[in-house]
PDB file of all heavy atoms in Angstrom:
ATOM      1  N   GLY D 946      21.995-141.367  55.486  1.00 94.00           N
ATOM      2  CA  GLY D 946      20.819-142.100  55.006  1.00 94.00           C
ATOM      3  C   GLY D 946      19.987-141.163  54.220  1.00 94.00           C
ATOM      4  O   GLY D 946      19.393-141.594  53.134  1.00 94.00           O
ATOM      5  N   LEU D 947      19.726-139.900  54.725  1.00 95.00           N
ATOM      6  CA  LEU D 947      18.825-139.063  53.919  1.00 95.00           C
ATOM      7  C   LEU D 947      19.456-138.627  52.648  1.00 95.00           C
ATOM      8  O   LEU D 947      18.781-138.676  51.582  1.00 95.00           O
ATOM      9  CB  LEU D 947      18.593-137.827  54.760  1.00 95.00           C
ATOM     10  CG  LEU D 947      17.709-136.690  54.159  1.00 95.00           C
ATOM     11  CD1 LEU D 947      16.349-137.243  53.920  1.00 95.00           C
ATOM     12  CD2 LEU D 947      17.639-135.510  55.120  1.00 95.00           C
ATOM     13  N   ALA D 948      20.766-138.381  52.634  1.00 96.00           N
ATOM     14  CA  ALA D 948      21.481-138.001  51.413  1.00 96.00           C
ATOM     15  C   ALA D 948      21.488-139.087  50.496  1.00 96.00           C
ATOM     16  O   ALA D 948      21.263-138.915  49.212  1.00 96.00           O
ATOM     17  CB  ALA D 948      22.954-137.615  51.732  1.00 96.00           C
ATOM     18  N   TRP D 949      21.630-140.346  50.853  1.00 96.00           N
ATOM     19  CA  TRP D 949      21.677-141.501  49.959  1.00 96.00           C
ATOM     20  C   TRP D 949      20.288-141.713  49.304  1.00 96.00           C
ATOM     21  O   TRP D 949      20.203-141.846  48.021  1.00 96.00           O
ATOM     22  CB  TRP D 949      21.984-142.751  50.670  1.00 96.00           C
ATOM     23  CG  TRP D 949      21.880-143.935  49.808  1.00 96.00           C
ATOM     24  CD1 TRP D 949      22.734-144.496  48.819  1.00 96.00           C
ATOM     25  CD2 TRP D 949      20.706-144.914  49.767  1.00 96.00           C
ATOM     26  NE1 TRP D 949      22.312-145.589  48.254  1.00 96.00           N
ATOM     27  CE2 TRP D 949      21.040-145.877  48.777  1.00 96.00           C
ATOM     28  CE3 TRP D 949      19.500-144.909  50.437  1.00 96.00           C
ATOM     29  CZ2 TRP D 949      20.075-146.834  48.433  1.00 96.00           C
ATOM     30  CZ3 TRP D 949      18.625-145.954  50.170  1.00 96.00           C
ATOM     31  CH2 TRP D 949      18.914-146.894  49.119  1.00 96.00           C
ATOM     32  N   GLY D 950      19.228-141.461  50.104  1.00 95.00           N
ATOM     33  CA  GLY D 950      17.826-141.604  49.628  1.00 95.00           C
ATOM     34  C   GLY D 950      17.569-140.615  48.532  1.00 95.00           C
ATOM     35  O   GLY D 950      17.105-140.820  47.452  1.00 95.00           O
ATOM     36  N   LEU D 951      17.776-139.381  48.948  1.00 96.00           N
ATOM     37  CA  LEU D 951      17.392-138.230  48.054  1.00 96.00           C
ATOM     38  C   LEU D 951      18.349-138.387  46.743  1.00 96.00           C
ATOM     39  O   LEU D 951      17.784-138.026  45.724  1.00 96.00           O
ATOM     40  CB  LEU D 951      17.632-136.913  48.802  1.00 96.00           C
ATOM     41  CG  LEU D 951      16.685-136.527  49.886  1.00 96.00           C
ATOM     42  CD1 LEU D 951      17.148-135.339  50.694  1.00 96.00           C
ATOM     43  CD2 LEU D 951      15.355-136.445  49.313  1.00 96.00           C
ATOM     44  N   ALA D 952      19.700-138.558  46.900  1.00 96.00           N
ATOM     45  CA  ALA D 952      20.527-138.604  45.758  1.00 96.00           C
ATOM     46  C   ALA D 952      20.180-139.801  44.861  1.00 96.00           C
ATOM     47  O   ALA D 952      20.324-139.686  43.606  1.00 96.00           O
ATOM     48  CB  ALA D 952      22.010-138.733  46.230  1.00 96.00           C
ATOM     49  N   SER D 953      19.796-140.881  45.425  1.00 96.00           N
ATOM     50  CA  SER D 953      19.520-142.063  44.494  1.00 96.00           C
ATOM     51  C   SER D 953      18.247-141.764  43.698  1.00 96.00           C
ATOM     52  O   SER D 953      18.150-141.988  42.512  1.00 96.00           O
ATOM     53  CB  SER D 953      19.287-143.304  45.385  1.00 96.00           C
ATOM     54  OG  SER D 953      20.450-143.709  46.025  1.00 96.00           O
ATOM     55  N   ILE D 954      17.226-141.099  44.337  1.00 96.00           N
ATOM     56  CA  ILE D 954      16.000-140.798  43.711  1.00 96.00           C
ATOM     57  C   ILE D 954      16.200-139.640  42.636  1.00 96.00           C
ATOM     58  O   ILE D 954      15.871-139.708  41.494  1.00 96.00           O
ATOM     59  CB  ILE D 954      14.923-140.340  44.765  1.00 96.00           C
ATOM     60  CG1 ILE D 954      14.520-141.411  45.583  1.00 96.00           C
ATOM     61  CG2 ILE D 954      13.714-139.714  43.973  1.00 96.00           C
ATOM     62  CD1 ILE D 954      13.673-141.009  46.794  1.00 96.00           C
ATOM     63  N   GLY D 955      17.091-138.735  43.071  1.00 95.00           N
ATOM     64  CA  GLY D 955      17.318-137.617  42.117  1.00 95.00           C
ATOM     65  C   GLY D 955      18.059-138.108  40.928  1.00 95.00           C
ATOM     66  O   GLY D 955      18.006-137.477  39.849  1.00 95.00           O
ATOM     67  N   THR D 956      19.026-139.085  41.098  1.00 95.00           N
ATOM     68  CA  THR D 956      19.749-139.558  39.943  1.00 95.00           C
ATOM     69  C   THR D 956      18.904-140.173  38.893  1.00 95.00           C
ATOM     70  O   THR D 956      19.064-139.977  37.686  1.00 95.00           O
ATOM     71  CB  THR D 956      20.799-140.648  40.397  1.00 95.00           C
ATOM     72  OG1 THR D 956      21.651-140.021  41.361  1.00 95.00           O
ATOM     73  CG2 THR D 956      21.584-141.180  39.212  1.00 95.00           C
ATOM     74  N   LEU D 957      17.922-141.001  39.357  1.00 95.00           N
ATOM     75  CA  LEU D 957      16.981-141.576  38.404  1.00 95.00           C
ATOM     76  C   LEU D 957      16.097-140.496  37.749  1.00 95.00           C
ATOM     77  O   LEU D 957      15.879-140.533  36.527  1.00 95.00           O
ATOM     78  CB  LEU D 957      16.144-142.606  39.126  1.00 95.00           C
ATOM     79  CG  LEU D 957      16.843-143.915  39.688  1.00 95.00           C
ATOM     80  CD1 LEU D 957      15.946-144.767  40.610  1.00 95.00           C
ATOM     81  CD2 LEU D 957      17.312-144.800  38.432  1.00 95.00           C
ATOM     82  N   LEU D 958      15.560-139.570  38.533  1.00 94.00           N
ATOM     83  CA  LEU D 958      14.717-138.575  37.993  1.00 94.00           C
ATOM     84  C   LEU D 958      15.494-137.664  37.061  1.00 94.00           C
ATOM     85  O   LEU D 958      15.054-137.292  35.973  1.00 94.00           O
ATOM     86  CB  LEU D 958      14.044-137.774  39.128  1.00 94.00           C
ATOM     87  CG  LEU D 958      13.119-138.491  40.026  1.00 94.00           C
ATOM     88  CD1 LEU D 958      12.603-137.594  41.150  1.00 94.00           C
ATOM     89  CD2 LEU D 958      11.911-139.119  39.225  1.00 94.00           C
ATOM     90  N   GLY D 959      16.715-137.320  37.505  1.00 93.00           N
ATOM     91  CA  GLY D 959      17.575-136.397  36.667  1.00 93.00           C
ATOM     92  C   GLY D 959      17.892-136.886  35.355  1.00 93.00           C
ATOM     93  O   GLY D 959      17.854-136.197  34.290  1.00 93.00           O
ATOM     94  N   PHE D 960      18.259-138.226  35.307  1.00 93.00           N
ATOM     95  CA  PHE D 960      18.671-138.923  34.126  1.00 93.00           C
ATOM     96  C   PHE D 960      17.410-138.810  33.150  1.00 93.00           C
ATOM     97  O   PHE D 960      17.472-138.555  31.995  1.00 93.00           O
ATOM     98  CB  PHE D 960      19.079-140.259  34.218  1.00 93.00           C
ATOM     99  CG  PHE D 960      19.325-141.011  32.971  1.00 93.00           C
ATOM    100  CD1 PHE D 960      20.408-140.801  32.158  1.00 93.00           C
ATOM    101  CD2 PHE D 960      18.297-141.920  32.466  1.00 93.00           C
ATOM    102  CE1 PHE D 960      20.630-141.384  30.998  1.00 93.00           C
ATOM    103  CE2 PHE D 960      18.546-142.543  31.341  1.00 93.00           C
ATOM    104  CZ  PHE D 960      19.677-142.344  30.530  1.00 93.00           C
TER     105      PHE D 960
END
Side-chain angles (χ1 to χ4, degrees):
L947 181 61
W949 174 81
L951 290 174
S953 298
I954 294 169
T956 300
L957 293 170
L958 295 177
F960 174 78

